[in-house]
């Protein structure tokens, strides 16, 4: 029953919002009243649960919309410091008509205006101590009541359920409220718009003083909240399509026997028993509704078969059975309106990812294939076609395309000219934290008005995101649906219905036991960014008087505990000066004794601080300014490439890089004049950003460009290269330099999320140098190195070569000999598995051989 009521409530809110102007966004607080139980009803307290000071003339105004479910009870209640109550309530008149009513203590004053539901109405109440009266404006209706306001100094205000002790009211009216304002005369003191909020607060726009809410339902949240409108267990490898002209979603069974139609607006399902014919597809994601020709057809990318569904004869117009296994799982398909073709990118099959571009012309039943070499092979990308340009975002794969070679999530954005297949990388963002990593859905929706893209992602169980062409990153545009998206096969498709002005989301999951289910959600359009809804900074409620006294008592107790021992020490003469002897504090004696007896390990020295004035490449691209602010986001992909190329080239050769080579690598798609203009513009932008970091010089000398990071700016890569040089020149390198180098190298590999052909050479050289130097160190200075240092060397080697035998020996032998035999065995087993996956043969040495290095032949 409760679930049914919640559904009806959501539908009511949807109707309420859809009735608003198309371009307006409704907001406010939905006061939950009957039929919710008392524990679920809404309470709103102004001024962060503190009293509001009364002036000569204090006015509170707000907008209110009355709902039909319970037009009875209190709207707001004021409690003065003189224990007086001033209430606005709804009451019942003759003929069951409902009227507003002002109550002051036990006196009742009717307002002669019948209540109208589902319309926004302005209400105000003025407490005038000069005139000693209360004035209420209910829409156009005015009520004036004489009352001695001058006796009160302050007042507490609540809407909905009143929680004030001794003044609780549980009969509350079903209303929505917004734009609550407090005035001193004509001066605005507070404005609670009731739009931005966190879980239980909404700040005012004047002084950021929050209103405190219990059991809230924020109206604006419906623009960012997905509603589940359909779910069903279906057959494995079912297919899906959407008719945007009518808002109908199709679900076709893979055995060609059934076609389900679901009207998303009317929430109506219809099942068609297919009379004849065979569906063309041999896997999911090969069904499409052409909005131009108004035809539903299935297709087969492996065998070039097309089958059109005839709604009159309820048949598939094809009798050719599919024979081949599917090679394009989780590919992304977009419709090209210019020629009514389908364009497929990527996919997975036969243990490989691909970067193929397939163009299917259903009318001619022809497929053209090509490859996009500038994009790494992947599946589960998100695509859309806009004016003969294919946009591709993200996916899962790797550069080789081989499944066994460490695939990863991509967070990059490309544009592909479908006429020339010229590919441009628009941007790439850093990999988010592991708990925030995600895959995008199969497609994007382009918003021409806002020039942005909407894509549904798997983050937090499913969240709508917004992307832009010129800004790296994404913006959350919905609350998560918290769907369990773990599945053997996952298909997520986003649809837009212009007629319904809604997004529809379809999620298909196939589990390992071959059971399958589909769920459909809807979201009002346009969506609202969560940053426009949610308060980003936490709001603290004021401490109650009892908690303040508790803090004072605890503080005094701590002071007493600290002072009492010192008093007795002084009294006993412990701190008295004695001639010729140094008196050691008790704590120092304990530490000294412990070190001499057990040799307590000193805290590890931290040599580098990259929290400010730094440019970092190891473990990822990161730039921190003079004030310790992370300004990495200010670097567009081109600015990032330019800075990286200048630093890497200058480190390799102090002359830097020639202007011609710089243009060839970064502006290869431009003519010479345009390329030079772009170069000069970006160099100017780069200089401006680097001024916030410190003293960096970009130098042009004899046709070569270089960069000089002067004192104060730290770059982990250039510092590591400096230490490489020092250690290579010394047969017995200084221990401190080894520690410094390992601290840098353990930050991570060089630019792991920066992909460009010219970067790969630098990455390879850096990894080779790391492996060579650390291997030589571990072998030539083995007995001089501590176990801790050897483990660091092993960890660093594994970062650059995950089947490095020197690293395996170091780590396993140290762990085994220190009694951690289980951990050593686990590391050895994982090494053998990776070794086999990469080389296709078993590792020939046993764990016993590894920990007894003398048995291993060179």
């Amino acid at each position: 029953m409760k679930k049914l009521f919640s559904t009806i409530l959501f539908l009511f809110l949807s109707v309420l919002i859809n009735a608003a102007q198309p371009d307006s966004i409704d907001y406010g607080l939905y006061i939950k009243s009957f039929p919710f139980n008392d524990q679920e009803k809404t309470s709103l307290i102004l001024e962060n649960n503190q009293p509001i000071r009364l002036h000569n003339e204090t006015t509170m105004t707000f907008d209110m919309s009355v709902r039909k479910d319970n037009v009875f009870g209190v709207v707001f209640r004021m409690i003065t410091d003189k224990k007086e109550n001033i209430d606005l309530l709804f009451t019942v008149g003759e003929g069951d008509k409902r009227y507003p009513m002002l109550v002051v203590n036990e006196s009742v004053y009717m307002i002669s205006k019948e209540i109208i539901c589902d319309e926004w109405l302005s209400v105000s109440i003025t407490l005038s101590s000069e005139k000693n009266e209360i004035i209420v404006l209910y829409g156009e209706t005015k009520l004036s009541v004489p009352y001695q306001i001058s006796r009160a100094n302050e007042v507490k205000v609540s809407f909905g359920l009143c929680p004030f002790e001794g003044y609780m009211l549980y009969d509350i009216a079903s209303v929505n409220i917004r734009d609550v304002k407090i005035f001193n005369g004509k001066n605005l003191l507070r404005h609670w718009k009731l739009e931005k909020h966190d879980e239980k607060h909404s700040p005012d726009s004047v002084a950021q003083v929050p209103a405190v809410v219990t059991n809230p339902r924020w109206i604006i949240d419906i623009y960012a909240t997905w509603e589940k409108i359909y779910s069903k267990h279906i057959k494995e490898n079912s297919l899906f399509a959407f008719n945007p002209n009518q808002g109908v979603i199709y679900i076709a069974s893979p055995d060609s026997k059934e076609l389900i139609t679901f009207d998303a607006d009317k929430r109506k399902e219809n099942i068609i028993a297919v009379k004849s014919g065979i569906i063309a597809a041999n896997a999911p994601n090969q069904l499409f509704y052409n909005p131009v020709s108004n035809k539903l057809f299935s297709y087969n990318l492996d065998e070039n078969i097309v089958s059109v569904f005839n709604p009159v004869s309820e048949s598939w117009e094809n009798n050719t059975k599919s024979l081949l296994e599917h090679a394009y799982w989780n590919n992304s398909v977009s419709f090209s309106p210019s020629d009514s073709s389908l364009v497929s990118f990527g996919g997975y099959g036969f243990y490989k990812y691909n970067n193929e571009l397939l163009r299917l012309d259903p009318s001619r039943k022809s497929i053209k294939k090509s490859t996009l070499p500038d994009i790494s092979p992947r599946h589960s990308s998100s695509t859309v076609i806009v004016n003969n340009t294919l946009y591709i975002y993200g996916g899962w794969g790797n550069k080789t395309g081989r499944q066994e070679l460490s695939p990863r999530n991509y967070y990059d954005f490309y544009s592909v000219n479908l006429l020339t297949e010229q590919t441009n990388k628009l941007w790439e963002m850093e990999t988010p934290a592991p708990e925030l990593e995600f895959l995008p859905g199969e497609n994007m929706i382009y918003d021409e008005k806002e020039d942005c893209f909407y894509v549904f992602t798997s983050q937090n169980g499913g969240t709508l995101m917004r992307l832009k062409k010129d800004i790296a990153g994404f913006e959350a545009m919905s609350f998560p649906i918290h769907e369990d998206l773990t599945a053997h096969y996952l298909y997520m498709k986003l649809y837009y219905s212009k007629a319904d002005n809604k997004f529809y989301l379809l999620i298909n999951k196939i589990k390992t036991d071959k059971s399958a289910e589909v769920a459909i959600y809807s979201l009002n359009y346009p969506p609202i960014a969560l940053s426009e809804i949610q308060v980003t900074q936490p709001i603290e409620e004021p401490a109650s008087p009892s908690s303040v006294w508790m803090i004072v008592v605890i503080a005094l107790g701590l002071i007493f505990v600290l002072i009492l021992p010192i008093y007795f020490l002084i009294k006993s003469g412990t701190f008295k000066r004695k001639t010729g002897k140094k008196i050691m504090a008790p704590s120092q004696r304990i530490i000294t004794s412990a070190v001499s007896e057990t040799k307590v390990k000193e805290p590890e020295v931290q040599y580098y601080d990259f929290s400010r004035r730094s440019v970092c490449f190891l473990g990822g691209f990161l730039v921190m300014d003079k004030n310790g602010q992370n300004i990495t986001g200010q670097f567009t992909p081109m600015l990032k490439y330019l800075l990286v190329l200048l630093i890497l080239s200058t480190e390799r050769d102090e002359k830097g890089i020639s202007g011609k080579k710089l243009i060839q690598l970064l502006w290869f798609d431009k003519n010479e004049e345009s390329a030079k203009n772009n170069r000069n513009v970006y160099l100017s932008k780069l200089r401006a950003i680097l001024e916030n970091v410190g003293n960096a010089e970009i130098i042009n000398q004899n046709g070569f460009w270089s960069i000089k990071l002067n004192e104060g700016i730290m770059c982990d890569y250039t510092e590591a290269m400096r230490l490489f040089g020092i250690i290579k020149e010394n047969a017995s390198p200084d221990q401190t330099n080894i520690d410094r180098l390992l601290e840098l190298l353990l930050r991570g590999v060089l630019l792991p999320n920066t992909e460009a052909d010219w970067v790969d050479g630098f990455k390879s050289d850096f990894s080779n140098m790391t492996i060579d130097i650390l291997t030589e160190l571990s072998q030539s200075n083995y007995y001089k190195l501590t176990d801790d240092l050897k483990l660091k060397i092993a960890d660093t080697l594994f970062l650059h070569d995950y089947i490095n035998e020197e690293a395996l020996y170091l780590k396993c032998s140290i762990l085994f000999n220190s009694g951690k035999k289980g951990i050593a065995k686990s590391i050895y087993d994982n090494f053998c598995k990776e070794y086999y996956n990469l080389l296709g043969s078993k590792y020939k040495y046993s764990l016993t051989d590894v920990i007894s290095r003398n048995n291993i032949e060179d």
Side-chain angles (χ1 to χ4, degrees):
M1 187 69 186
K2 198 179 260 190
K3 186 174 180 182
L4 175 63
F5 177 72
S6 296
T7 303
I8 295 170
L9 179 64
F10 196 98
L11 291 173
F12 173 77
L13 281 171
S14 300
V15 171
L16 181 68
I17 288 174
N18 289 331
Q21 293 297 320
D23 295 329
S24 68
I25 300 297
D26 209 350
Y27 59 92
L29 181 65
Y30 179 106
I31 303 285
K32 292 191 283 186
S33 63
F34 181 82
F36 288 93
N37 60 47
D38 291 343
Q39 290 73 32
E40 296 175 303
K41 291 176 180 177
T42 302
S43 169
L44 170 71
I45 306 175
L46 304 184
E47 199 67 14
N48 202 12
N49 206 7
Q50 298 298 300
I52 297 171
R53 182 182 174 82
L54 293 176
H55 302 275
N56 290 337
E57 190 170 276
T58 302
T59 299
M60 179 179 77
T61 69
F62 60 95
D63 291 343
M64 175 177 65
S65 174
V66 183
R67 306 192 309 272
K68 295 177 181 178
D69 36 312
N70 188 48
V71 190
F72 179 81
V74 68
V75 175
F76 69 76
R77 166 159 269 199
M78 294 180 168
I79 307 297
T80 72
D81 57 341
K82 302 303 180 184
K83 309 301 181 183
E84 302 161 316
N85 61 281
I86 304 168
D87 312 323
L88 179 67
L89 298 95
F90 292 161
T91 188
V92 182
E94 293 183 5
D96 197 34
K97 292 183 179 180
R98 308 299 169 106
Y99 294 90
M101 177 173 69
L102 179 69
V103 176
V104 182
N105 292 331
E106 295 181 356
S107 301
V108 174
Y109 305 92
M110 296 295 295
I111 300 174
S112 58
K113 172 72 175 178
E114 187 178 351
I115 294 169
I116 300 174
C117 293
D118 300 331
E119 289 185 8
W120 284 103
L121 178 81
S122 293
V123 180
S124 75
I125 180 169
T126 300
L127 308 181
S128 175
S129 60
E130 288 184 336
K131 300 178 182 177
N132 280 320
E133 66 176 346
I134 301 173
I135 304 167
V136 175
L137 277 174
Y138 189 90
E140 301 293 325
T141 306
K142 183 177 179 179
L143 172 70
S144 180
V145 176
Y147 195 77
Q148 290 290 331
I149 301 298
S150 57
R151 295 181 299 178
N153 298 309
E154 53 190 25
V155 63
K156 294 184 76 171
V157 183
S158 70
F159 285 80
L161 189 146
C162 179
F164 303 142
E165 188 175 351
Y167 295 92
M168 292 184 181
L169 285 177
Y170 290 97
D171 285 327
I172 62 175
S174 297
V175 295
N176 302 334
I177 60 168
R178 67 185 183 192
D179 289 314
V180 182
K181 301 176 184 178
I182 303 293
F183 293 87
N184 172 17
K186 294 183 179 180
N187 296 324
L188 179 64
L189 301 180
R190 299 285 185 270
H191 181 187
W192 289 281
K193 195 171 182 180
L194 301 181
E195 183 179 43
K196 271 200 169 189
H197 61 83
D198 63 13
E199 289 185 3
K200 55 180 181 179
H201 303 93
S202 183
D204 97 283
S205 57
V206 179
Q208 297 302 303
V209 177
V212 182
V213 191
T214 305
N215 300 323
R217 186 184 293 274
W218 306 99
I219 294 173
I220 198 170
D221 284 2
I222 198 169
Y223 289 94
T225 302
W226 291 95
E227 180 194 5
K228 195 171 190 175
I229 59 175
Y230 181 83
S231 63
K232 191 180 186 74
H233 289 283
I234 55 174
K235 293 179 180 178
E236 181 191 14
N237 295 337
S238 293
L239 301 102
F240 312 94
F242 179 65
N243 177 352
N245 300 328
Q246 297 178 350
V248 173
I249 295 171
Y250 297 92
I251 304 173
S253 63
D255 57 8
S256 309
K257 294 181 179 179
E258 188 177 85
L259 180 68
I260 299 173
T261 65
F262 177 70
D263 188 317
D265 184 42
K266 297 177 182 177
R267 319 283 172 92
K268 184 178 180 181
E269 178 193 69
N270 183 40
I271 300 176
I272 300 171
V274 178
K275 295 177 180 176
S276 63
I278 300 173
I279 203 165
N282 60 348
N285 191 23
Q286 295 191 99
L287 185 72
F288 186 75
Y289 187 90
N290 189 326
V292 179
S293 63
N294 289 314
K295 288 184 178 179
L296 176 69
F297 64 90
S298 64
Y299 56 92
N300 187 313
L301 294 177
D302 300 281
E303 301 169 74
N304 195 13
I305 307 171
V306 175
S307 181
V308 179
F309 184 75
N310 188 325
V312 177
S313 63
E314 297 181 336
S315 303
W316 290 105
E317 297 179 349
N318 167 62
N319 291 298
T320 304
K321 288 187 176 181
S322 172
L323 300 175
L324 298 179
E325 187 176 343
H326 188 44
Y328 299 96
W329 290 88
N330 281 116
N331 62 320
S332 181
V333 180
S334 296
F335 176 65
S336 175
S338 61
D339 58 5
S340 290
S341 68
L342 293 179
V343 179
S344 166
F345 170 75
Y348 167 82
F350 308 108
Y351 304 101
K352 288 186 177 180
Y353 313 105
N354 74 70
N355 50 1
E356 292 181 11
L357 192 72
L358 280 66
R359 304 174 193 235
L360 170 67
D361 185 336
S363 59
R364 298 180 183 178
K365 299 182 181 180
S366 65
I367 295 179
K368 293 181 181 179
K369 294 186 179 182
S370 58
T371 302
L372 300 179
D374 294 328
I375 305 178
S376 297
R378 61 189 68 187
H379 71 61
S380 298
S381 293
S382 191
T383 64
V384 68
I385 295 173
V386 182
N387 299 328
N388 286 318
T389 298
L390 175 69
Y391 291 94
I392 302 172
Y393 176 76
W396 174 268
N398 58 35
K399 293 188 72 172
T400 66
R402 296 177 59 183
Q403 179 186 352
E404 68 270 20
L405 297 184
S406 301
R408 68 178 183 87
N409 282 319
Y410 284 100
Y411 301 94
D412 46 10
F413 200 22
Y414 293 88
S415 66
V416 181
N417 187 320
L418 291 176
L419 302 178
T420 64
E421 294 194 2
Q422 171 68 41
T423 302
N424 291 317
K425 191 174 190 176
L426 301 176
W427 49 258
E428 180 176 6
M429 59 176 282
E430 297 291 327
T431 301
E435 67 273 13
L436 296 177
E437 288 205 55
F438 62 83
L439 280 175
E442 192 227 26
N443 69 311
M444 293 183 280
I445 303 291
Y446 177 66
D447 186 325
E448 184 177 7
K449 182 179 178 182
E450 299 294 330
D451 191 24
C452 68
F453 302 84
Y454 294 106
V455 57
F456 190 81
T457 74
S458 63
Q459 189 177 85
N460 292 327
T463 305
L464 183 70
M465 302 289 191
R466 178 166 63 186
L467 311 178
K468 294 196 174 182
K469 288 180 279 189
D470 53 350
I471 302 175
F474 53 87
E475 185 176 17
M477 299 299 293
S478 79
F479 294 108
I481 60 173
H482 298 297
E483 178 96 24
D484 181 6
L485 297 178
T486 54
H488 178 65
Y489 173 83
L490 176 65
Y491 174 83
M492 302 182 293
K493 185 82 173 186
L494 186 65
Y495 304 118
Y496 171 61
S497 171
K498 190 173 182 179
D500 302 338
N501 208 31
K502 287 181 182 291
F503 276 140
Y504 294 115
L505 168 70
L506 184 143
I507 299 176
N508 173 222
K509 294 183 291 186
I510 302 175
K511 298 181 180 179
T512 52
D513 62 2
K514 296 188 177 182
S515 63
E517 58 182 305
V518 63
I520 300 173
Y521 293 81
S522 72
L523 179 71
N524 286 286
Y525 183 89
I528 298 180
L530 291 191
S531 60
E532 296 179 23
I533 296 175
Q534 294 180 312
V535 177
T536 54
Q537 296 297 324
I539 300 173
E540 296 184 3
E541 294 185 38
S544 64
S546 59
S547 62
V548 171
W549 276 111
M550 183 64 71
I551 292 169
V552 171
V553 169
I554 293 171
L556 290 173
L558 287 172
I559 293 170
F560 179 77
V561 169
L562 291 171
I563 290 177
L564 193 62
I566 297 173
Y567 168 76
F568 283 115
L569 286 169
I570 294 172
K571 189 172 182 180
S572 64
T574 304
F575 289 141
K576 290 180 180 178
R577 181 179 297 275
K578 294 184 181 180
T579 308
K581 290 186 179 181
K582 181 179 179 182
I583 304 301
M584 187 178 295
S587 59
Q588 289 179 298
R589 287 198 207 97
I590 294 167
I591 293 171
T592 305
S593 174
V595 170
S596 63
E597 292 176 11
T598 62
K599 294 184 180 178
V600 171
K601 185 179 176 183
E602 291 289 333
E604 193 167 308
V605 176
Q606 191 82 18
Y607 292 100
Y608 298 101
D609 179 11
F610 295 104
S611 62
R612 60 182 69 243
R613 295 177 178 270
S614 62
V615 178
C616 299
F617 291 175
L618 304 183
F621 181 76
L622 175 71
V623 182
M624 305 294 290
D625 70 6
K626 301 172 186 176
N627 301 315
Q629 296 295 313
N630 185 341
I631 60 170
T632 310
Q634 295 183 25
F635 286 81
T636 63
M638 185 56 71
L639 281 172
K640 173 183 171 181
Y641 285 141
L642 181 57
L643 177 60
V644 167
L645 186 53
L646 286 173
I647 291 177
L648 294 180
S649 300
T650 304
E651 186 58 41
R652 177 175 285 181
D653 184 339
E654 63 181 14
K655 289 192 304 183
I657 183 172
S658 70
K660 185 176 181 181
K661 185 70 173 177
L662 188 66
I663 286 174
Q664 286 177 351
L665 294 178
L666 299 185
W667 292 284
F668 54 87
D669 57 340
K670 304 277 191 298
N671 59 46
E672 185 176 357
E673 183 179 354
S674 176
K676 286 182 178 179
N677 288 336
N678 272 270
R679 181 191 65 193
N680 295 337
V681 168
Y682 278 99
L683 283 168
S684 178
K685 289 181 179 179
L686 183 58
R687 286 190 179 99
I689 294 177
L690 289 178
E691 284 180 4
N692 297 319
V693 180
N695 185 12
E697 299 178 67
I698 298 176
I699 304 164
N700 180 15
Q701 190 171 7
N702 299 325
F704 282 81
W705 290 91
S706 63
I707 189 168
K708 183 178 180 183
L709 303 177
N710 295 306
E711 286 187 19
I713 300 182
M714 177 62 72
C715 176
D716 54 2
Y717 169 74
T718 58
E719 176 66 4
M721 294 297 288
R722 183 185 73 83
L723 291 170
F724 277 146
I726 292 173
I727 292 173
K728 284 174 69 176
E729 291 173 4
N730 293 277
S732 298
D734 180 76
Q735 175 76 37
T736 301
N737 284 333
I738 298 175
D739 289 337
R740 284 176 175 271
L741 179 63
L742 288 172
E743 181 180 321
L744 293 170
L745 295 179
L746 284 170
R747 291 170 61 83
V749 297
L750 178 64
L751 297 166
N753 300 313
T754 303
E755 291 193 12
D757 292 339
W758 54 265
V759 178
D760 292 343
F762 289 101
K763 290 183 180 182
S764 178
D765 290 347
F766 187 78
S767 289
N768 288 334
M769 189 179 302
T770 299
I771 293 169
D772 291 345
I773 288 178
L774 294 187
T775 302
E776 184 178 347
L777 266 177
S778 65
Q779 292 175 353
S780 61
N781 296 277
Y782 186 82
Y783 294 104
K784 298 178 184 179
L785 302 176
T786 64
D787 284 352
D788 185 53
L789 208 57
K790 292 173 191 174
L791 287 173
K792 287 183 180 179
I793 289 175
D795 288 338
T796 306
L797 288 173
F798 274 140
L799 278 175
H800 293 269
D801 178 9
Y802 59 89
I803 57 168
N804 186 281
E805 293 186 65
E806 181 69 19
L808 178 69
Y809 159 69
L810 289 171
K811 197 145 193 174
C812 285
S813 60
I814 292 169
L815 291 171
F816 190 91
N817 292 330
S818 63
K820 300 173 182 175
K821 297 179 175 60
I823 299 176
K825 179 67 165 59
S826 177
I827 290 170
Y828 171 79
D829 289 344
N830 188 62
F831 178 93
C832 292
K833 179 182 176 183
E834 296 292 352
Y835 188 96
Y836 181 81
N837 288 339
L838 181 63
L839 302 179
S841 61
K842 292 184 178 179
Y843 187 56
K844 60 182 179 179
Y845 299 115
S846 67
L847 177 59
T848 304
D849 295 332
V850 169
I851 62 178
S852 305
R853 188 178 189 185
N854 293 333
N855 296 335
I856 299 181
E857 299 176 1
D858 292 331

